Amino acid sequence: MNYPDEWTQKEFLQNKKRLEEEGIPLVLVDTILSPIDKADTLTYNPYELQKYPEGSVFVFYCDTGKATKERLKEYKKKFPKHHCISLKGGRGYWRKNMMLLDEDDS
């Protein structure tokens, strides 16, 4: 699969479900030492991220999404065996109560 440079929160949640079903790790990476409420995040630590299996997907976030988007080339170079994506809008646009409903639930 080709991955875009950015995902919105909705795209993150949709892909999280799909990737989990396929057994592919999806990691929300905190680059600003500020975890997102009600979300499983991992503080940016290259040593720990390298331990994830090849093909894992890392979604990096900052306050606005601008810094992680600008550093995306750096992340892709540092983690060539993984997929690196920036969270569009960053932490500021994250809605802690947003959830996806299954099509069966609507």
Side-chain angles (χ1 to χ4, degrees):
M1 175 178 180
N2 287 333
Y3 291 92
D5 287 343
E6 288 184 301
W7 275 347
T8 62
Q9 179 182 1
K10 181 179 179 182
E11 291 168 325
F12 171 82
L13 294 172
Q14 289 170 332
N15 285 292
K16 181 177 185 348
K17 182 176 181 179
R18 183 182 58 77
L19 291 170
E20 284 176 352
E21 289 171 356
E22 295 175 17
I24 300 171
L26 175 62
V27 184
L28 188 57
V29 184
D30 175 2
T31 65
I32 54 173
L33 301 176
S34 185
I36 294 175
D37 291 338
K38 297 186 180 181
D40 291 328
T41 62
L42 178 71
T43 301
Y44 179 70
N45 179 333
Y47 177 77
E48 291 298 321
L49 291 172
Q50 291 287 1
K51 292 180 182 180
Y52 279 85
E54 186 173 330
S56 297
V57 179
F58 301 148
V59 179
F60 298 90
Y61 74 88
C62 58
D63 283 319
T64 64
K66 186 176 178 184
T68 52
K69 177 91 190 292
E70 290 172 355
R71 283 189 254 151
L72 205 53
K73 284 183 183 177
E74 174 188 327
Y75 296 138
K76 288 180 179 185
K77 187 175 179 182
K78 193 170 281 194
F79 307 107
K81 296 180 180 179
H82 304 88
H83 304 285
C84 299
I85 300 170
S86 175
L87 182 66
K88 189 171 188 168
R91 187 176 189 277
Y93 276 78
W94 187 271
R95 300 297 168 246
K96 64 183 177 183
N97 293 317
M98 181 180 193
M99 65 178 91
L100 298 177
L101 298 176
D102 290 328
E103 290 179 12
D104 299 337
D105 294 343
S106 32

PDB file of all heavy atoms in Angstrom, residues 33-61:
ATOM      1  N   LEU A  33       6.307  15.766  23.667  1.00  0.00           N
ATOM      2  CA  LEU A  33       6.183  15.410  25.091  1.00  0.00           C
ATOM      3  C   LEU A  33       4.848  15.852  25.670  1.00  0.00           C
ATOM      4  O   LEU A  33       4.763  16.355  26.793  1.00  0.00           O
ATOM      5  CB  LEU A  33       7.344  15.994  25.903  1.00  0.00           C
ATOM      6  CG  LEU A  33       8.742  15.553  25.466  1.00  0.00           C
ATOM      7  CD1 LEU A  33       9.813  16.276  26.273  1.00  0.00           C
ATOM      8  CD2 LEU A  33       8.908  14.048  25.587  1.00  0.00           C
ATOM      9  N   SER A  34       3.798  15.659  24.876  1.00  0.00           N
ATOM     10  CA  SER A  34       2.459  16.042  25.308  1.00  0.00           C
ATOM     11  C   SER A  34       1.467  15.007  24.782  1.00  0.00           C
ATOM     12  O   SER A  34       0.938  15.145  23.676  1.00  0.00           O
ATOM     13  CB  SER A  34       2.127  17.434  24.779  1.00  0.00           C
ATOM     14  OG  SER A  34       0.889  17.864  25.287  1.00  0.00           O
ATOM     15  N   PRO A  35       1.221  13.949  25.573  1.00  0.00           N
ATOM     16  CA  PRO A  35       0.323  12.881  25.112  1.00  0.00           C
ATOM     17  C   PRO A  35      -1.087  13.397  24.823  1.00  0.00           C
ATOM     18  O   PRO A  35      -1.529  14.383  25.397  1.00  0.00           O
ATOM     19  CB  PRO A  35       0.287  11.901  26.287  1.00  0.00           C
ATOM     20  CG  PRO A  35       1.457  12.244  27.136  1.00  0.00           C
ATOM     21  CD  PRO A  35       1.738  13.695  26.905  1.00  0.00           C
ATOM     22  N   ILE A  36      -1.754  12.713  23.918  1.00  0.00           N
ATOM     23  CA  ILE A  36      -3.130  13.049  23.576  1.00  0.00           C
ATOM     24  C   ILE A  36      -4.062  12.256  24.490  1.00  0.00           C
ATOM     25  O   ILE A  36      -3.907  11.046  24.630  1.00  0.00           O
ATOM     26  CB  ILE A  36      -3.422  12.704  22.098  1.00  0.00           C
ATOM     27  CG1 ILE A  36      -2.595  13.605  21.175  1.00  0.00           C
ATOM     28  CG2 ILE A  36      -4.903  12.837  21.788  1.00  0.00           C
ATOM     29  CD1 ILE A  36      -2.720  13.262  19.702  1.00  0.00           C
ATOM     30  N   ASP A  37      -5.023  12.949  25.102  1.00  0.00           N
ATOM     31  CA  ASP A  37      -5.995  12.284  25.973  1.00  0.00           C
ATOM     32  C   ASP A  37      -6.745  11.201  25.208  1.00  0.00           C
ATOM     33  O   ASP A  37      -7.141  11.401  24.058  1.00  0.00           O
ATOM     34  CB  ASP A  37      -7.008  13.285  26.530  1.00  0.00           C
ATOM     35  CG  ASP A  37      -6.388  14.247  27.527  1.00  0.00           C
ATOM     36  OD1 ASP A  37      -5.332  13.927  28.098  1.00  0.00           O
ATOM     37  OD2 ASP A  37      -6.968  15.336  27.726  1.00  0.00           O
ATOM     38  N   LYS A  38      -6.973  10.075  25.855  1.00  0.00           N
ATOM     39  CA  LYS A  38      -7.748   8.956  25.314  1.00  0.00           C
ATOM     40  C   LYS A  38      -7.143   8.356  24.046  1.00  0.00           C
ATOM     41  O   LYS A  38      -7.854   7.769  23.238  1.00  0.00           O
ATOM     42  CB  LYS A  38      -9.201   9.361  25.057  1.00  0.00           C
ATOM     43  CG  LYS A  38      -9.947   9.761  26.314  1.00  0.00           C
ATOM     44  CD  LYS A  38     -11.406   9.996  26.003  1.00  0.00           C
ATOM     45  CE  LYS A  38     -12.164  10.404  27.258  1.00  0.00           C
ATOM     46  NZ  LYS A  38     -13.581  10.606  26.977  1.00  0.00           N
ATOM     47  N   ALA A  39      -5.831   8.508  23.856  1.00  0.00           N
ATOM     48  CA  ALA A  39      -5.161   7.908  22.703  1.00  0.00           C
ATOM     49  C   ALA A  39      -3.886   7.233  23.191  1.00  0.00           C
ATOM     50  O   ALA A  39      -3.209   7.750  24.083  1.00  0.00           O
ATOM     51  CB  ALA A  39      -4.834   8.966  21.662  1.00  0.00           C
ATOM     52  N   ASP A  40      -3.584   6.087  22.624  1.00  0.00           N
ATOM     53  CA  ASP A  40      -2.332   5.411  22.944  1.00  0.00           C
ATOM     54  C   ASP A  40      -1.223   6.066  22.139  1.00  0.00           C
ATOM     55  O   ASP A  40      -1.233   6.003  20.907  1.00  0.00           O
ATOM     56  CB  ASP A  40      -2.412   3.919  22.585  1.00  0.00           C
ATOM     57  CG  ASP A  40      -3.356   3.164  23.493  1.00  0.00           C
ATOM     58  OD1 ASP A  40      -3.478   3.545  24.669  1.00  0.00           O
ATOM     59  OD2 ASP A  40      -3.972   2.193  23.031  1.00  0.00           O
ATOM     60  N   THR A  41      -0.307   6.726  22.843  1.00  0.00           N
ATOM     61  CA  THR A  41       0.795   7.394  22.162  1.00  0.00           C
ATOM     62  C   THR A  41       2.118   6.852  22.683  1.00  0.00           C
ATOM     63  O   THR A  41       2.183   6.288  23.774  1.00  0.00           O
ATOM     64  CB  THR A  41       0.757   8.920  22.379  1.00  0.00           C
ATOM     65  OG1 THR A  41       0.901   9.201  23.778  1.00  0.00           O
ATOM     66  CG2 THR A  41      -0.540   9.517  21.869  1.00  0.00           C
ATOM     67  N   LEU A  42       3.159   7.032  21.898  1.00  0.00           N
ATOM     68  CA  LEU A  42       4.507   6.651  22.279  1.00  0.00           C
ATOM     69  C   LEU A  42       5.383   7.883  22.098  1.00  0.00           C
ATOM     70  O   LEU A  42       5.363   8.502  21.029  1.00  0.00           O
ATOM     71  CB  LEU A  42       5.006   5.510  21.391  1.00  0.00           C
ATOM     72  CG  LEU A  42       6.427   5.032  21.632  1.00  0.00           C
ATOM     73  CD1 LEU A  42       6.506   4.270  22.967  1.00  0.00           C
ATOM     74  CD2 LEU A  42       6.871   4.122  20.508  1.00  0.00           C
ATOM     75  N   THR A  43       6.123   8.259  23.137  1.00  0.00           N
ATOM     76  CA  THR A  43       7.025   9.397  23.024  1.00  0.00           C
ATOM     77  C   THR A  43       8.121   9.072  22.021  1.00  0.00           C
ATOM     78  O   THR A  43       8.660   7.962  22.023  1.00  0.00           O
ATOM     79  CB  THR A  43       7.635   9.734  24.397  1.00  0.00           C
ATOM     80  OG1 THR A  43       6.574  10.033  25.306  1.00  0.00           O
ATOM     81  CG2 THR A  43       8.571  10.930  24.310  1.00  0.00           C
ATOM     82  N   TYR A  44       8.445  10.033  21.169  1.00  0.00           N
ATOM     83  CA  TYR A  44       9.454   9.840  20.126  1.00  0.00           C
ATOM     84  C   TYR A  44      10.765   9.354  20.743  1.00  0.00           C
ATOM     85  O   TYR A  44      11.364  10.024  21.573  1.00  0.00           O
ATOM     86  CB  TYR A  44       9.680  11.144  19.361  1.00  0.00           C
ATOM     87  CG  TYR A  44      10.723  11.030  18.282  1.00  0.00           C
ATOM     88  CD1 TYR A  44      10.483  10.285  17.140  1.00  0.00           C
ATOM     89  CD2 TYR A  44      11.952  11.661  18.418  1.00  0.00           C
ATOM     90  CE1 TYR A  44      11.441  10.167  16.144  1.00  0.00           C
ATOM     91  CE2 TYR A  44      12.914  11.555  17.424  1.00  0.00           C
ATOM     92  CZ  TYR A  44      12.653  10.799  16.290  1.00  0.00           C
ATOM     93  OH  TYR A  44      13.600  10.682  15.315  1.00  0.00           O
ATOM     94  N   ASN A  45      11.185   8.171  20.337  1.00  0.00           N
ATOM     95  CA  ASN A  45      12.427   7.557  20.797  1.00  0.00           C
ATOM     96  C   ASN A  45      12.907   6.641  19.675  1.00  0.00           C
ATOM     97  O   ASN A  45      12.402   5.531  19.523  1.00  0.00           O
ATOM     98  CB  ASN A  45      12.158   6.762  22.082  1.00  0.00           C
ATOM     99  CG  ASN A  45      13.400   6.069  22.613  1.00  0.00           C
ATOM    100  OD1 ASN A  45      14.318   5.746  21.874  1.00  0.00           O
ATOM    101  ND2 ASN A  45      13.405   5.833  23.910  1.00  0.00           N
ATOM    102  N   PRO A  46      13.859   7.121  18.853  1.00  0.00           N
ATOM    103  CA  PRO A  46      14.304   6.335  17.704  1.00  0.00           C
ATOM    104  C   PRO A  46      14.719   4.909  18.057  1.00  0.00           C
ATOM    105  O   PRO A  46      14.420   3.981  17.311  1.00  0.00           O
ATOM    106  CB  PRO A  46      15.484   7.138  17.158  1.00  0.00           C
ATOM    107  CG  PRO A  46      15.211   8.543  17.587  1.00  0.00           C
ATOM    108  CD  PRO A  46      14.533   8.413  18.930  1.00  0.00           C
ATOM    109  N   TYR A  47      15.367   4.735  19.185  1.00  0.00           N
ATOM    110  CA  TYR A  47      15.802   3.395  19.589  1.00  0.00           C
ATOM    111  C   TYR A  47      14.603   2.456  19.749  1.00  0.00           C
ATOM    112  O   TYR A  47      14.612   1.326  19.261  1.00  0.00           O
ATOM    113  CB  TYR A  47      16.604   3.478  20.890  1.00  0.00           C
ATOM    114  CG  TYR A  47      17.021   2.132  21.412  1.00  0.00           C
ATOM    115  CD1 TYR A  47      18.084   1.442  20.833  1.00  0.00           C
ATOM    116  CD2 TYR A  47      16.359   1.536  22.486  1.00  0.00           C
ATOM    117  CE1 TYR A  47      18.467   0.190  21.303  1.00  0.00           C
ATOM    118  CE2 TYR A  47      16.735   0.292  22.959  1.00  0.00           C
ATOM    119  CZ  TYR A  47      17.792  -0.375  22.363  1.00  0.00           C
ATOM    120  OH  TYR A  47      18.157  -1.616  22.827  1.00  0.00           O
ATOM    121  N   GLU A  48      13.550   2.926  20.415  1.00  0.00           N
ATOM    122  CA  GLU A  48      12.354   2.100  20.626  1.00  0.00           C
ATOM    123  C   GLU A  48      11.580   1.881  19.317  1.00  0.00           C
ATOM    124  O   GLU A  48      11.071   0.796  19.062  1.00  0.00           O
ATOM    125  CB  GLU A  48      11.431   2.727  21.676  1.00  0.00           C
ATOM    126  CG  GLU A  48      11.984   2.696  23.088  1.00  0.00           C
ATOM    127  CD  GLU A  48      12.219   1.286  23.609  1.00  0.00           C
ATOM    128  OE1 GLU A  48      11.396   0.382  23.338  1.00  0.00           O
ATOM    129  OE2 GLU A  48      13.245   1.086  24.286  1.00  0.00           O
ATOM    130  N   LEU A  49      11.505   2.908  18.491  1.00  0.00           N
ATOM    131  CA  LEU A  49      10.774   2.782  17.230  1.00  0.00           C
ATOM    132  C   LEU A  49      11.437   1.784  16.286  1.00  0.00           C
ATOM    133  O   LEU A  49      10.755   1.067  15.557  1.00  0.00           O
ATOM    134  CB  LEU A  49      10.637   4.155  16.553  1.00  0.00           C
ATOM    135  CG  LEU A  49       9.706   5.145  17.258  1.00  0.00           C
ATOM    136  CD1 LEU A  49       9.802   6.521  16.620  1.00  0.00           C
ATOM    137  CD2 LEU A  49       8.273   4.651  17.242  1.00  0.00           C
ATOM    138  N   GLN A  50      12.773   1.714  16.319  1.00  0.00           N
ATOM    139  CA  GLN A  50      13.489   0.763  15.460  1.00  0.00           C
ATOM    140  C   GLN A  50      13.133  -0.684  15.802  1.00  0.00           C
ATOM    141  O   GLN A  50      13.290  -1.574  14.967  1.00  0.00           O
ATOM    142  CB  GLN A  50      15.012   0.941  15.587  1.00  0.00           C
ATOM    143  CG  GLN A  50      15.540   2.228  15.008  1.00  0.00           C
ATOM    144  CD  GLN A  50      15.532   2.257  13.480  1.00  0.00           C
ATOM    145  OE1 GLN A  50      15.121   1.325  12.811  1.00  0.00           O
ATOM    146  NE2 GLN A  50      15.984   3.368  12.931  1.00  0.00           N
ATOM    147  N   LYS A  51      12.646  -0.930  16.988  1.00  0.00           N
ATOM    148  CA  LYS A  51      12.300  -2.293  17.428  1.00  0.00           C
ATOM    149  C   LYS A  51      10.994  -2.796  16.795  1.00  0.00           C
ATOM    150  O   LYS A  51      10.727  -3.991  16.826  1.00  0.00           O
ATOM    151  CB  LYS A  51      12.169  -2.344  18.951  1.00  0.00           C
ATOM    152  CG  LYS A  51      13.484  -2.131  19.677  1.00  0.00           C
ATOM    153  CD  LYS A  51      13.269  -2.194  21.179  1.00  0.00           C
ATOM    154  CE  LYS A  51      14.536  -1.950  21.952  1.00  0.00           C
ATOM    155  NZ  LYS A  51      14.300  -2.007  23.414  1.00  0.00           N
ATOM    156  N   TYR A  52      10.194  -1.884  16.254  1.00  0.00           N
ATOM    157  CA  TYR A  52       8.933  -2.303  15.634  1.00  0.00           C
ATOM    158  C   TYR A  52       9.225  -3.063  14.336  1.00  0.00           C
ATOM    159  O   TYR A  52      10.198  -2.770  13.643  1.00  0.00           O
ATOM    160  CB  TYR A  52       8.034  -1.094  15.354  1.00  0.00           C
ATOM    161  CG  TYR A  52       7.281  -0.653  16.579  1.00  0.00           C
ATOM    162  CD1 TYR A  52       7.847   0.210  17.498  1.00  0.00           C
ATOM    163  CD2 TYR A  52       5.999  -1.140  16.836  1.00  0.00           C
ATOM    164  CE1 TYR A  52       7.162   0.601  18.636  1.00  0.00           C
ATOM    165  CE2 TYR A  52       5.301  -0.753  17.972  1.00  0.00           C
ATOM    166  CZ  TYR A  52       5.891   0.109  18.863  1.00  0.00           C
ATOM    167  OH  TYR A  52       5.210   0.487  19.995  1.00  0.00           O
ATOM    168  N   PRO A  53       8.382  -4.040  14.002  1.00  0.00           N
ATOM    169  CA  PRO A  53       8.631  -4.833  12.794  1.00  0.00           C
ATOM    170  C   PRO A  53       8.623  -3.998  11.518  1.00  0.00           C
ATOM    171  O   PRO A  53       7.948  -2.961  11.447  1.00  0.00           O
ATOM    172  CB  PRO A  53       7.488  -5.852  12.775  1.00  0.00           C
ATOM    173  CG  PRO A  53       6.616  -5.572  13.922  1.00  0.00           C
ATOM    174  CD  PRO A  53       7.177  -4.436  14.709  1.00  0.00           C
ATOM    175  N   GLU A  54       9.347  -4.470  10.542  1.00  0.00           N
ATOM    176  CA  GLU A  54       9.371  -3.829   9.237  1.00  0.00           C
ATOM    177  C   GLU A  54       7.938  -3.712   8.710  1.00  0.00           C
ATOM    178  O   GLU A  54       7.141  -4.626   8.860  1.00  0.00           O
ATOM    179  CB  GLU A  54      10.207  -4.677   8.274  1.00  0.00           C
ATOM    180  CG  GLU A  54      10.419  -4.051   6.931  1.00  0.00           C
ATOM    181  CD  GLU A  54      11.389  -4.835   6.063  1.00  0.00           C
ATOM    182  OE1 GLU A  54      12.302  -5.487   6.615  1.00  0.00           O
ATOM    183  OE2 GLU A  54      11.213  -4.796   4.841  1.00  0.00           O
ATOM    184  N   GLY A  55       7.623  -2.560   8.132  1.00  0.00           N
ATOM    185  CA  GLY A  55       6.276  -2.334   7.605  1.00  0.00           C
ATOM    186  C   GLY A  55       5.335  -1.670   8.591  1.00  0.00           C
ATOM    187  O   GLY A  55       4.200  -1.332   8.238  1.00  0.00           O
ATOM    188  N   SER A  56       5.784  -1.469   9.833  1.00  0.00           N
ATOM    189  CA  SER A  56       4.956  -0.762  10.819  1.00  0.00           C
ATOM    190  C   SER A  56       4.698   0.659  10.328  1.00  0.00           C
ATOM    191  O   SER A  56       5.477   1.217   9.548  1.00  0.00           O
ATOM    192  CB  SER A  56       5.666  -0.700  12.169  1.00  0.00           C
ATOM    193  OG  SER A  56       5.855  -1.986  12.698  1.00  0.00           O
ATOM    194  N   VAL A  57       3.606   1.249  10.798  1.00  0.00           N
ATOM    195  CA  VAL A  57       3.236   2.602  10.387  1.00  0.00           C
ATOM    196  C   VAL A  57       3.369   3.531  11.591  1.00  0.00           C
ATOM    197  O   VAL A  57       2.778   3.287  12.643  1.00  0.00           O
ATOM    198  CB  VAL A  57       1.792   2.635   9.840  1.00  0.00           C
ATOM    199  CG1 VAL A  57       1.398   4.055   9.446  1.00  0.00           C
ATOM    200  CG2 VAL A  57       1.645   1.677   8.658  1.00  0.00           C
ATOM    201  N   PHE A  58       4.171   4.586  11.422  1.00  0.00           N
ATOM    202  CA  PHE A  58       4.366   5.590  12.470  1.00  0.00           C
ATOM    203  C   PHE A  58       3.659   6.874  12.049  1.00  0.00           C
ATOM    204  O   PHE A  58       3.911   7.407  10.975  1.00  0.00           O
ATOM    205  CB  PHE A  58       5.849   5.900  12.676  1.00  0.00           C
ATOM    206  CG  PHE A  58       6.701   4.716  13.066  1.00  0.00           C
ATOM    207  CD1 PHE A  58       8.019   4.628  12.670  1.00  0.00           C
ATOM    208  CD2 PHE A  58       6.181   3.682  13.827  1.00  0.00           C
ATOM    209  CE1 PHE A  58       8.816   3.559  13.032  1.00  0.00           C
ATOM    210  CE2 PHE A  58       6.964   2.595  14.195  1.00  0.00           C
ATOM    211  CZ  PHE A  58       8.291   2.535  13.795  1.00  0.00           C
ATOM    212  N   VAL A  59       2.770   7.368  12.908  1.00  0.00           N
ATOM    213  CA  VAL A  59       2.085   8.633  12.654  1.00  0.00           C
ATOM    214  C   VAL A  59       2.607   9.627  13.690  1.00  0.00           C
ATOM    215  O   VAL A  59       2.330   9.507  14.877  1.00  0.00           O
ATOM    216  CB  VAL A  59       0.551   8.477  12.743  1.00  0.00           C
ATOM    217  CG1 VAL A  59      -0.129   9.816  12.496  1.00  0.00           C
ATOM    218  CG2 VAL A  59       0.069   7.434  11.741  1.00  0.00           C
ATOM    219  N   PHE A  60       3.393  10.592  13.214  1.00  0.00           N
ATOM    220  CA  PHE A  60       4.029  11.573  14.082  1.00  0.00           C
ATOM    221  C   PHE A  60       3.122  12.780  14.262  1.00  0.00           C
ATOM    222  O   PHE A  60       2.477  13.224  13.314  1.00  0.00           O
ATOM    223  CB  PHE A  60       5.350  12.044  13.454  1.00  0.00           C
ATOM    224  CG  PHE A  60       6.359  10.948  13.288  1.00  0.00           C
ATOM    225  CD1 PHE A  60       6.407  10.184  12.134  1.00  0.00           C
ATOM    226  CD2 PHE A  60       7.259  10.668  14.304  1.00  0.00           C
ATOM    227  CE1 PHE A  60       7.335   9.169  11.975  1.00  0.00           C
ATOM    228  CE2 PHE A  60       8.198   9.649  14.155  1.00  0.00           C
ATOM    229  CZ  PHE A  60       8.236   8.898  12.990  1.00  0.00           C
ATOM    230  N   TYR A  61       3.088  13.305  15.499  1.00  0.00           N
ATOM    231  CA  TYR A  61       2.302  14.523  15.710  1.00  0.00           C
ATOM    232  C   TYR A  61       3.065  15.531  16.550  1.00  0.00           C
ATOM    233  O   TYR A  61       3.935  15.182  17.352  1.00  0.00           O
ATOM    234  CB  TYR A  61       0.938  14.218  16.342  1.00  0.00           C
ATOM    235  CG  TYR A  61       0.956  13.858  17.805  1.00  0.00           C
ATOM    236  CD1 TYR A  61       0.879  14.846  18.787  1.00  0.00           C
ATOM    237  CD2 TYR A  61       1.045  12.545  18.216  1.00  0.00           C
ATOM    238  CE1 TYR A  61       0.882  14.520  20.136  1.00  0.00           C
ATOM    239  CE2 TYR A  61       1.050  12.207  19.551  1.00  0.00           C
ATOM    240  CZ  TYR A  61       0.968  13.196  20.511  1.00  0.00           C
ATOM    241  OH  TYR A  61       0.988  12.865  21.851  1.00  0.00           O
TER     242      TYR A  61
END
